[in-house]
Amino acid sequence: MPLLEKTPQEQPPTFPVVIIGNGPSGICLSYLLSGHKPYLDPTTVHPNPILYRKLEETKHLSITEQDLEYLSEGLEGRSGNPVAVLFDTLLHPNADFGYEFPSVLQWRRDKQQRIPHLVLGKGTPGGAWHAMEGSMLTISLGVWMELPGVNYRDLANGKRRDVTSDRATPEEISSYYQNYVKLKGLQKNFVDNTYVTSVQKLCRAPKVEGLDRGLASAAEDDGEQGSREEDCVRNGGDCAVWEVRGYQQLQNDSHIPFSLFSENVVLATGASDSPVRLNVEGEDLPFVFHTISELGLAVTQRKLDANSDPVLVVGAGLSAADAVLCACESNVRVLHVFRKTVDDSDLIFKQLPKTLYPEYHKVYSMMCSQTYVNSPSQQRPPLTSVASSVCAKICQKPQLVRGGGLFPDYTSFPEHCVVSFQSDKKCLLQGNNSLKAFKISMALVLIGTNPNLFFLKGQGQYLGLDPEKPISCKQNPIDINPFTFECTKEPGLFAMGPLVGDNFVRFLKGGALGITSCLLKRLKKKETLISSGGNNFI
């Protein structure tokens, strides 16, 4: 079905909330906006006595109606967002200490406090999880990937791989999210296969229903748009509305454009849109890739085997480690290049318990023990025209520091970077004091991903903590109010999940709590809470 059905003369509808992104962030927010409210379960006791005392003080109120800043005070966890830590400890008390205590929350449905909304996603509910390599195991435990109200193990048929690990495959998680939307009756809020191309704020006269586009256009023509936007900000955004444009792709590959208005927009797009590039010579050659899926495809199609030239893996994160494991387990030789030292405290492997993540510690052990050996002839030549001159030589075969290697055909290159790729499938690597050229079969550049906010003005860069730099989930997340998740530089625009630094499903749920709490209180103050009537927008 088309996203919206209207005659050309009709104005596009105005929604209270539009969520861009249908991954776990958008799904969880849809659940809370649909009137599901968390209360303290009277049959449970939270192991944190100070937090439990606070919860007891107002146990007659839902958590969304309480002071989240007060409840979050003093809590510590693996997220920099206090509400994320709060919601996590309510759902999984003392999880960081290895306990699996039951949630202290009880969920009740209040249709009188339902906020109509749309969730726009490029595919089916689950977001980027549908595109991930299905055989790998998640970093988080399966139970940490679950959303409120539906036990993950119940949908996973009680799968448990062994007594020390309860991790899941992306395929299992994406199936869980799809089933979650159906079980919770959220389908009417979701519009699949939609691509947002523009989100911009327009101004309208205060207290007027709908958008007077002619008035806004006239103001802009008269040079008054800037002052109108300032008035909107002073009025808390009451006289502003967001215009969301894009298209929906139908089954026959036709595209149906849409346009709608929303009082509030939530950015829940995740961080997997744009792979980070090396920006070196030859990176666009056909044997250089930026996702792990191409490696799996090459192995499946038997384009790679033990007799192939080695695969070059660039990066020191978990995606690079997954690629190393995939190649080594398929008896494909690997050259593993990364800038950091093996004892760098920021390496993710140092933050993962060995008992839960043995395969990643296997990779880390190889990174430390199976390193490249420099020979005297490999001292660094002058940098002038060095790429072509070095790559013109016969490429070298990696020499290892041998010591009972787990995968003997693996070589690590700590403190190295790629200088260039050549059309004859040679790559040039630079170390601290040398340059080396190797013949490879393919290269996988796995050094992270960045969000793509092209649909916002200036690609949303002005929303970051540092407005002079592009949005980056690790280096430059979107600047938000830590308790409402509203963008500090843009009233009525919210962000959650990786965009604000919460890269794990376990913590991104806190954004749903903060946003829902903010909107419910704001609507209650305006006395415009939604009745229990049906959603007539869709």
Side-chain angles (χ1 to χ4, degrees), residues 133 136 292-306 308 311 322-334 441-442 444:
E133 179 64 32
M136 302 297 178
I292 192 176
S293 57
E294 282 81 4
L295 174 61
L297 184 63
V299 170
T300 302
Q301 296 177 345
R302 298 184 179 181
K303 294 180 179 179
L304 292 175
D305 56 31
S308 304
V311 170
D322 285 337
V324 169
L325 288 169
C326 178
C328 289
E329 290 169 359
S330 302
N331 295 316
V332 176
R333 289 184 290 162
V334 177
S441 58
M442 67 186 304
L444 299 172

Side-chain angles (χ1 to χ4, degrees), residues 262-341:
S262 181
E263 301 291 343
N264 303 279
V265 169
V266 179
L267 303 175
T269 57
S272 60
D273 288 327
S274 302
V276 177
R277 296 172 58 87
L278 294 170
N279 294 319
V280 299
E281 177 189 350
E283 192 169 1
D284 291 320
L285 289 169
F287 63 91
V288 182
F289 303 97
H290 294 82
T291 61
I292 192 176
S293 57
E294 282 81 4
L295 174 61
L297 184 63
V299 170
T300 302
Q301 296 177 345
R302 298 184 179 181
K303 294 180 179 179
L304 292 175
D305 56 31
N307 297 318
S308 304
D309 288 321
V311 170
L312 179 73
V313 177
V314 183
L318 298 178
S319 295
D322 285 337
V324 169
L325 288 169
C326 178
C328 289
E329 290 169 359
S330 302
N331 295 316
V332 176
R333 289 184 290 162
V334 177
L335 308 182
H336 187 190
V337 178
F338 48 96
R339 289 178 177 271
K340 295 181 179 180
T341 62

Side-chain angles (χ1 to χ4, degrees), residues 35 38 80 138 140 148 158 254 257 264 291 384 433 438 447 477-478 484 500:
T138 59
S140 299
S254 63
N264 303 279
T291 61
T384 55
N433 58 1
F438 296 101
I447 55 176
I478 291 178
T484 67
V500 299

Side-chain angles (χ1 to χ4, degrees), residues 475-507:
Q475 280 77 35
N476 190 38
I478 291 178
D479 188 13
I480 56 167
N481 179 305
F483 303 103
T484 67
F485 289 77
E486 187 171 27
C487 298
T488 58
K489 300 179 181 71
E490 199 70 273
L493 185 65
F494 297 79
M496 62 187 300
L499 292 175
V500 299
D502 285 326
N503 296 295
F504 292 99
V505 174
R506 178 181 165 191
F507 294 110

